[in-house]
Amino acid sequence: MKNSLSSGKETNLLFLQAYDYIVTRMDRGEWKAHDKLPSIRLLAQELQVHRLTVFRAYQLLKQNERAYVKEKSGYFVSPCKPEEHVLPEHADAESTRLFTSSSALKNSLSEIQQIPVEYQFSQALIDPNLLPNLFLSEHVKKVFDIYPKLMGTYSSAQGDEELREYLCRYMVRHHNIQLTVNDLLITTGGQQAIDLISRIYIRPLDSILVERPTYSAALDIFRQKGARFIPVEITPDGYDLANVERLMEKHKPRLFYMNPTFHNPTGYTVPAAQRKQLVELAERYRCLLIEDDAIHEMYLDQPPPQPMLTYDTEGWVVYLRSFSKYIAPGLRICAVMGGPSIIKSLITAKSLADNGTPLVNQKMFLHYFESPRMQQHLEKLRIALQIRKEIVEEELASTGWHWVSPQGGFNLWLQLPDFIPVDQLLEDCLRESVSFVPGEICDPLKEMRSWIRLSYSFVNEEHLRDGVRRLIKIAGRYEAQ
Amino acid sequence: MKNSLSSGKETNLLFLQAYDYIVTRMDRGEWKAHDKLPSIRLLAQELQVHRLTVFRAYQLLKQNERAYVKEKSGYFVSPCKPEEHVLPEHADAESTRLFTSSSALKNSLSEIQQIPVEYQFSQALIDPNLLPNLFLSEHVKKVFDIYPKLMGTYSSAQGDEELREYLCRYMVRHHNIQLTVNDLLITTGGQQAIDLISRIYIRPLDSILVERPTYSAALDIFRQKGARFIPVEITPDGYDLANVERLMEKHKPRLFYMNPTFHNPTGYTVPAAQRKQLVELAERYRCLLIEDDAIHEMYLDQPPPQPMLTYDTEGWVVYLRSFSKYIAPGLRICAVMGGPSIIKSLITAKSLADNGTPLVNQKMFLHYFESPRMQQHLEKLRIALQIRKEIVEEELASTGWHWVSPQGGFNLWLQLPDFIPVDQLLEDCLRESVSFVPGEICDPLKEMRSWIRLSYSFVNEEHLRDGVRRLIKIAGRYEAQ
């Protein structure tokens, strides 16, 4: 069964977690030099993983000289010479720990995006040329006249009250959701919100539900916290709720990280009917729903269903609403909304993390977001994205590749024929100045090898057409073989 | 011996850490329902704490029904009903965990600072009126003309390259320190830098050296990571290096968090001679020196000694240089400088934490910092601070309170007579619209009860005089009794 914890990929991930877990206990001195390590059977039981997983962890310990073997009597902790604690190695160890425990980081989104290419299809970002830059700049300058001492003033850890008040009014007006300023926290982008939530709610080896595929940077954050992934397949029709319930019942996950609206990378949207039921499941199985809603207004024909938060009465939904993503991405403004005790914990975490998002960014965002020009801008964006999507689909029509045309968002999620090796395709494309995101890094099981995410939001029409043609041409070489 | 781990206060802190540690292992299922917990003697050994510490942790477990006692046979894990995992409780548990493990947070800096008072002496911040606000705003507006697409552009996780290049040139010019753009990371304020370092280098129950007293928010971050504090007294002459060496040898601390230049809260500065020796100690004992340098240019008569980083050849110093604090605090720009492997790990942590400080803030800072007007501004600031310090010292002269006149910075560190109960004084002052920071929250041992931090940087001359007089008057009531 693909989703089961004993699947090859999942084990792959678990054995590194088990390794980290053992090393941590050694570093803490819980397991001292020459102590006998638990038997493979016992540790496998304790960690609830396959024995092979523990075996592989022990092999790696041996290889890194953290453990040694005595014939017939098992594994023992190696004596740590102080040299092994020297900082550079330690630092490397740490970074490799992050890297190895996430091969996604070795070939990560940000790494791919940082490679300068002519045809940038790996950026799920608005083309800066589509933003009303001149107006935006002029408008933003006013902010310094309104708040002459802005540059000298700190925000509270929770975020600017004027902005939170405005967002409360916004949520009532647009989603008929009643909030108070205390139910909101402002973060520096949605990613910080995901990180703060992980700090509070994820402990090593906690089981969490994640969509398959999903946002790869979120997977990296959860991996770093040592979470165990229970994948939930997402389809154009949403989730298999019976399966979700089974997984919640079986694994008692602490949370379900989801992106139900113009889902990244697939563009799928979970239908309204399922949203209500999901909130009920969350209540029944006491599983927190982390609803990541980064591009709610980037629909094509009609607005998406209301957020899950709308159906939440018991405080099981934490709603991450990124507002700046299609308005002024440079400002990095996200609002986290949820029950009082959750927001309270998150404020504590935020105050320790950076003591508050800079006030300048919050005021700039507020005053632009309030401006009537915003609505025009959004309509213009939707049309531009519609056109770009059509161009890509036009060009791809002949390829026989599979995708489901999304109702909104920035991406196409394409399934290529099996005979095209996506890893190699990416290399060839990067060499020829085309970039995209390989599906594998969006997959908690790292299996979706014949899929790619193609973002049509970042490059202009003409470039888009040329770039897609180039991509198809490069892929064609494999067919030819 | 005050500094030893077995001191009352330190135990106080440790027993909560031990409690968290045990609960975490229960939550992870390492210690299951009805398992026998380790004997007090064994766990005390394992954690290297006093048996009383473990005893108190076990008492708290019993009280919270996480453990039960069998006559003559010890402590056992209580069965957890699922209800005990319900989210609201969990969330509260989390926040209380943070709160209890840091009574400083219950009465924290930010809480005191958020109370609106007429005489704000708890803010170690530049008076916004001292900033060249009009010039700053006008200047900053230019940035949007230079980078018309700034609002639509992301920064790399490491930070804007143009800014890092500039800071490299700056470090050569001012400190004769040779760096490459790869040796720098830009963070959102110094606090984020401290937090990222803690994520990478501190694991629960790690011993770290911290000054006594020190920056209370840093203590909160370290506490959250479960660090054990080994206090190092700081005096007007710096540290007792023999003692520092003894502590490094005895406790093998992972790091020493220090603020050697215009130290917060005392204003003391560690002399140049000691700086060189400290770096040698760091190398010998493989202890990372975290040099927090937030207000380097806020000296009064003469510039401070060069940073420790100047003496570092082996990569044992991580230098946190907050540049925006006295230039444009609202921008929250800090630069972390250190060895390649350290910076590499920190970039990974930063990319997971928020994927990069907003570019807008970095560009605004860069262009203002470059402007010739900056130097004038700094000189003006120094004079203003000099005057404010003199006013406070003038007013305090008659009190018989003790302090060492600082050579720079924003604060006076005052020792009040024993018969003045600082806690109560703070309450009375807040009621009469005067605020200050009680020394206790700056003390890793939470003992310095007769000290207060009085910041003279935030309020203007006239207000300063009135406020200090009011403070003295309120304190006088105790003498009268």
Side-chain angles (χ1 to χ4, degrees), chain A residues 283-393:
Chain A
E283 285 180 26
R284 187 171 323 137
Y285 296 98
R286 305 178 172 288
C287 171
L288 201 54
L289 299 183
I290 310 300
E291 180 181 14
D292 193 348
D293 198 5
I295 51 175
H296 194 91
E297 290 166 296
M298 292 297 95
Y299 55 85
L300 298 181
D301 305 322
Q302 60 203 20
Q306 289 295 337
M308 305 245 180
L309 185 64
T310 325
Y311 304 102
D312 182 37
T313 53
E314 304 295 317
W316 291 95
V317 175
V318 182
Y319 185 59
L320 314 186
R321 181 70 178 263
S322 295
F323 284 96
S324 67
K325 210 159 178 57
Y326 42 85
I327 292 170
L331 292 178
R332 314 286 315 283
I333 295 297
C334 172
V336 184
M337 312 177 198
S341 65
I342 297 170
I343 296 300
K344 187 179 148 215
S345 313
L346 290 174
I347 292 170
T348 308
K350 170 74 172 170
S351 70
L352 295 173
D354 66 10
N355 204 20
T357 294
L359 191 60
V360 186
N361 305 54
Q362 299 184 61
K363 293 298 195 187
M364 285 182 176
F365 168 74
L366 172 61
H367 286 271
Y368 176 55
F369 194 49
E370 280 181 326
S371 72
R373 173 69 179 259
M374 262 300 304
Q375 286 314 314
Q376 287 175 43
H377 164 59
L378 289 182
E379 279 155 34
K380 178 189 160 193
L381 267 187
R382 290 185 197 113
I383 295 163
L385 289 169
Q386 177 74 265
I387 294 169
R388 292 179 183 204
K389 190 191 85 162
E390 284 163 1
I391 289 175
V392 177
E393 293 185 319

Side-chain angles (χ1 to χ4, degrees), chain A residues 25 129 149 195 199 330, chain B residues 25 129 149 151 195 199:
Chain A
R25 292 183 67 162
N129 297 304
K149 294 172 190 170
D195 183 64
R199 288 174 168 219
Chain B
R25 292 183 66 162
N129 297 305
K149 293 170 191 170
M151 298 297 258
D195 183 65
R199 287 175 168 220

Side-chain angles (χ1 to χ4, degrees), chain A residues 114-133:
Chain A
Q114 275 163 39
I115 301 167
V117 293
E118 196 177 346
Y119 304 102
Q120 177 50 277
F121 301 146
S122 66
Q123 284 283 14
L125 264 182
I126 293 286
D127 176 357
N129 297 304
L130 288 178
L131 297 172
N133 293 296

Side-chain angles (χ1 to χ4, degrees), chain B residues 453-464:
Chain B
R453 188 191 79 177
L454 195 76
S455 301
Y456 51 78
S457 56
F458 196 68
V459 298
N460 67 39
E461 287 81 346
E462 193 192 336
H463 243 60
L464 196 57

